Amino acid sequence: MPTTPLPHRIQSFQEYREVYARSVADPEGFWAEQARTFRWHTGWGRVLDWNFEEPRVRWFEGATLNITENCLDRHLDERGDQTAILFEPNEPDDPVVKLTYRELHAEVGRVGNALRELGVGKGDRVCFYMPMVVELAVSVLACARIGAIHSVVFAGFSAQALADRVNDADCSLIICSDYNRRGSKNIPVKAVVDDALALGCPSVRNVLVHRNTGEEIAWNKGTDVWYHERVEGQSSSCAAEVMGAEDVLFILYTSGSTGKPKGVVHTCGGYMVYTAFSFLNVFQYQPGDVYWCTADIGWITGHSYILYGPLLCGATTVMFEGVPTYPDAGRFWQVCAKHHVNQFYTAPTAIRALMARGHKFVEGHDLSDLKVLGSVGEPINEEAWEWYHDYVGQGRVPIVDTWWQTETGGMMISGLGGLSPQKATFAGYPLPGIQMALVDKESGQELTGNPESGLLCVKFPWPSILRTTWCDHERCRTTYFTTVPGMYFTGDGARRDAEGMYRIVGRVDDVINVSGHRMGTAEVENAINEHGQVVESAVVGYPHAIKGQGIYAYVIVADGVPADDRLREEIVAMVRQEIGPIAKPDKIQFVAELPKTRSGKIMRRILRKVASGETEQLGDTSTLLNPEAVEQVIAGVV
Ligand code: WT7
């Protein structure tokens, strides 16, 4: 039986150094070599065409492919009967679902045909608002099969946030479930979609409803259709749409420092090559291994490293419906033992939450199959790193701290499991093909020495870099390509040690990271300001033991309005309504004034310090218009 070719897997740190050097000396040759391991319908002309001024980045242009043929069809000969998706349900005693590559291929075909029957075709946008169930994975892949563009919205966002995203992309179809099981609660999902439509989503023709819990839902005859009724009886064979390498594969919305969330656009060819290459190398995935990433498919981590990367490499990928603390704080480790998980990938916030419950929940579970532990989403603090290493990894399992972003599509800086030197709180070295730079904030010059610290940038395109932001190319340019001309600016600050290892310090813009979820402070402020009795607000992050950062809101209320707990509750409710529970402020302080510069800008630096309890070192306040506001803010800290 022929073995399915895969991108190159590096096998030592010495080899990493050689491969890295080659990837920089000859990026086109290097990536073309990786790309050739996939199934293409026609080949490319130029490997890469780029400039970061427009910006314009094209990889493998002229080539055609379908990513699902690479995820599914090409594995059928060698591993048709191997489990592709291993579904672990919310309830530990409910049945596990194992879909083999052959079954997944057939299911994706059926759903692809059902979508085509609903009138969905190449380039149409399909929005998802679903829990972590197999049908989500299947129908996301079905979109890719027929060339429709998926836009997955995390099912914790509010109706308003969902409507905003549906409308920005003019989605013609929403796929949702009736209810979502999360721990001991069932959460309505379809009802949120109904509310979103009531807010006005003129592009939506249909809502395809997956029956998950079977509970009662409202039914709109004109738009709603049952998933099972449409999918049953469909042929499992579904011709894959032939896509250009630079055709859009998906949109994923993410928050920035200004305005509404933007739709990050990824395309078919480069994203395929990079997610597969990075998955294989960072996790050192070997055939037969069981890999588990605990993220939600509503985030980029789920797209790249639950679905595409693992499936492209013929992996067995675990999909978990539940939460880390249900039925108790040992659930992750129980599931690792139950399925003999070899590579486990989670977020620091989950590690900290479980660490707080004590290591007794780890003990007693057989974790001897673990080979690599991964971390993603925010800087991992030393204490959490040590706990992960000592208790979960039993001092034996290497940890990869993977730094990347929605915009990068794949992991950028990370150790390669078991090969690279590791150092707590350091993400490590850039992956092959990734040309990082530190740039001096004041001079805008690249800092080439070691050690150094500065703005974290990328100098050269990699295959899965975002191509644009949906319908707003100018916003893409100004957000990422103007801060440091000629480079992609990440929004993060970082340090490089004497050995050249990177440590991510955190965002240098007005973006905060709450439990690994990215939030624009302006977005939260806009939501708070929707409250009729709020005059102005300023939101900052502050250190939070479990969440990494908590949300601290300074609020000015209208004259005569009692600033009390009832108003606090109303403000929180407003944020839940506008964005969702993940954005609700942890602390609200009512203030009479906000410290402002003479030009009227809120001095966030001072507000951040006050919220963090660092009132001793406020720095320079001489440019303030109203220095007395600072004292008031300090006096009223909550
Ligand atoms: C921001 C991107 C990438 C998937 C999840 C988040 C922060 C991400 C790390 C890490 C330190 C990290 C950065 C980045 N971040 N991974 N290993 N160490 N910080 O994706 O929502 O696009 O957020 O998350 O600040 O810019 P995202």
Side-chain angles (χ1 to χ4, degrees):
M1 203 186 292
T3 50
T4 315
L6 291 176
H8 181 66
R9 186 167 65 77
I10 295 164
Q11 304 201 19
S12 69
F13 190 63
Q14 177 57 34
E15 192 197 350
Y16 158 78
R17 293 232 183 256
E18 290 159 17
V19 170
Y20 186 82
R22 162 137 196 261
S23 75
V24 172
D26 177 20
E28 297 193 23
F30 176 75
W31 288 116
E33 201 172 280
Q34 307 311 318
R36 272 195 286 274
T37 62
F38 293 94
R39 187 184 287 184
W40 302 82
H41 286 254
T42 50
W44 49 87
R46 279 171 81 173
V47 177
L48 172 64
D49 170 18
W50 72 290
N51 74 63
F52 275 173
E53 279 76 53
E54 291 180 41
R56 169 191 167 86
V57 180
R58 305 276 156 87
W59 283 93
F60 314 114
E61 197 159 33
T64 54
L65 76 155
N66 185 289
I67 195 168
T68 70
E69 289 183 320
N70 286 284
C71 289
L72 303 170
D73 304 56
R74 78 186 186 118
H75 296 309
L76 294 182
D77 279 349
E78 193 188 341
R79 50 176 65 93
D81 298 321
Q82 181 203 304
T83 301
I85 295 180
L86 196 168
F87 171 77
E88 168 70 24
N90 181 58
E91 296 295 334
D93 297 328
D94 280 357
V96 166
V97 179
K98 292 181 181 181
L99 277 186
T100 65
Y101 272 90
R102 205 178 311 289
E103 289 163 340
L104 182 59
H105 176 261
E107 237 1 77
V108 168
R110 282 186 200 100
V111 178
N113 287 327
L115 294 179
R116 278 189 174 139
E117 223 174 69
L118 282 166
V120 180
K122 181 175 176 179
D124 293 342
R125 275 80 61 209
V126 176
C127 178
F128 287 80
Y129 191 75
M130 276 176 92
M132 284 284 289
V133 290
V134 169
E135 288 77 4
L136 168 61
V138 167
S139 31
V140 163
L141 294 168
C143 277
R145 186 77 175 179
I146 66 168
I149 298 169
H150 52 81
S151 168
V152 184
V153 176
F154 175 63
F157 280 113
S158 69
Q160 182 66 58
L162 174 61
D164 291 345
R165 287 157 175 77
V166 166
N167 291 334
D168 187 71
D170 290 320
C171 297
S172 59
L173 178 71
I174 301 178
I175 308 185
C176 69
S177 296
D178 49 6
Y179 278 78
N180 175 350
R181 287 190 189 88
R182 270 183 87 74
S184 55
K185 287 186 282 200
N186 284 358
I187 297 166
V189 175
K190 166 68 161 59
V192 179
V193 173
D194 291 344
D195 290 347
L197 295 186
L199 291 166
C201 296
S203 56
V204 176
R205 285 200 310 263
N206 288 114
V207 178
L208 186 62
V209 188
H210 157 245
R211 184 179 274 159
N212 189 32
T213 66
E215 284 159 278
E216 202 62 29
I217 52 170
W219 197 257
N220 305 317
K221 279 216 183 75
T223 47
D224 297 350
V225 281
W226 281 112
Y227 181 97
H228 60 271
E229 285 179 3
R230 294 294 166 146
V231 173
E232 264 166 31
Q234 294 286 352
S235 159
S236 62
S237 115
C238 173
E241 192 76 30
V242 177
M243 305 292 285
E246 285 296 340
D247 283 343
V248 176
L249 175 62
F250 66 86
I251 308 170
L252 189 58
Y253 285 85
T254 191
S255 296
S257 49
T258 53
K260 291 213 178 251
K262 46 189 175 276
V264 168
V265 171
H266 285 290
T267 57
C268 296
Y271 179 82
M272 171 177 79
V273 173
Y274 195 76
T275 53
F277 176 83
S278 53
F279 170 76
L280 203 63
N281 279 283
V282 168
F283 293 107
Q284 288 291 304
Y285 185 88
Q286 312 253 18
D289 285 348
V290 176
Y291 161 87
W292 180 18
C293 166
T294 69
D296 191 289
I297 291 177
W299 311 113
I300 190 70
T301 311
H303 283 61
S304 301
Y305 299 114
I306 294 176
L307 291 181
Y308 288 113
L311 295 175
L312 286 163
C313 295
T316 296
T317 177
V318 176
M319 204 176 152
F320 176 45
E321 184 184 25
V323 296
T325 49
Y326 180 79
D328 64 39
R331 186 68 191 277
F332 275 180
W333 325 122
Q334 178 248 329
V335 173
C336 280
K338 176 177 174 186
H339 298 303
H340 302 282
V341 169
N342 301 110
Q343 291 91 4
F344 178 76
Y345 192 27
T346 197
T349 187
I351 299 170
R352 287 191 298 265
L354 298 178
M355 181 171 80
R357 306 287 183 98
H359 59 256
K360 64 176 189 292
F361 286 102
V362 190
E363 284 159 11
H365 298 292
D366 179 1
L367 299 177
S368 59
D369 290 310
L370 285 174
K371 295 195 282 192
V372 178
L373 292 172
S375 172
V376 61
E378 51 181 314
I380 179 165
N381 51 308
E382 183 140 13
E383 205 191 347
W385 194 98
E386 299 291 353
W387 189 84
Y388 201 26
H389 183 256
D390 294 349
Y391 292 103
V392 182
Q394 296 155 336
R396 145 190 92 74
V397 184
I399 294 180
V400 289
D401 177 6
T402 66
W403 174 85
W404 57 296
Q405 311 177 293
T406 305
E407 295 86 342
T408 68
M411 303 179 281
M412 301 286 281
I413 304 179
S414 170
L416 308 183
L419 310 184
S420 313
Q422 62 181 31
K423 191 159 145 185
T425 76
F426 279 75
Y429 295 99
L431 264 62
I434 306 303
Q435 302 187 33
M436 303 302 306
L438 291 178
V439 172
D440 182 69
K441 198 176 173 180
E442 264 69 56
S443 70
Q445 295 302 306
E446 183 178 355
L447 301 160
T448 52
N450 288 338
E452 265 312 346
S453 77
L455 303 177
L456 188 65
C457 298
V458 195
K459 290 195 280 192
F460 193 86
W462 62 100
S464 63
I465 184 177
L466 87 160
R467 300 303 195 265
T468 188
T469 46
W470 185 257
C471 281
D472 196 350
H473 196 61
E474 179 59 12
R475 188 161 177 207
C476 172
R477 190 182 73 83
T478 53
T479 309
Y480 307 106
F481 297 94
T482 53
T483 310
V484 180
M487 294 193 196
Y488 166 83
F489 171 51
T490 64
D492 282 312
R495 266 173 44 200
R496 203 163 46 209
D497 73 4
E499 277 72 50
M501 288 177 88
Y502 285 86
R503 178 190 177 144
I504 313 303
V505 178
R507 302 289 305 198
V508 295
D509 52 8
D510 290 322
V511 170
I512 54 180
N513 192 322
V514 183
S515 301
H517 301 322
R518 190 159 142 186
M519 209 84 62
T521 52
E523 225 181 314
V524 183
E525 287 162 9
N526 290 341
I528 293 174
N529 298 348
E530 286 292 311
H531 191 289
Q533 289 164 330
V534 170
V535 173
E536 194 178 5
S537 64
V539 166
V540 297
Y542 72 97
H544 186 289
I546 305 287
K547 298 179 177 183
Q549 283 187 297
I551 302 180
Y552 195 112
Y554 297 90
V555 176
I556 302 177
V557 297
D559 277 347
V561 174
D564 55 13
D565 281 346
R566 186 160 146 225
L567 185 56
R568 279 202 175 84
E569 279 162 29
E570 286 176 17
I571 289 171
V572 167
M574 183 58 80
V575 175
R576 292 180 75 107
Q577 178 193 311
E578 294 290 304
I579 307 174
I582 52 176
K584 65 176 207 275
D586 297 279
K587 294 184 179 180
I588 297 175
Q589 178 182 350
F590 295 111
V591 294
E593 274 184 81
L594 291 165
K596 289 192 174 168
T597 62
R598 294 214 177 83
S599 57
K601 271 182 73 179
I602 297 172
M603 279 277 242
R604 289 170 185 283
R605 180 175 56 79
I606 290 179
L607 294 177
R608 271 195 291 268
K609 292 240 162 156
V610 174
S612 310
E614 297 169 19
T615 44
E616 301 304 308
Q617 330 118 35
L618 287 181
D620 181 16
T621 54
S622 62
T623 57
L624 279 178
L625 179 72
N626 52 349
E628 69 291 348
V630 178
E631 276 134 55
Q632 290 174 17
V633 165
I634 293 174
V637 96
V638 288

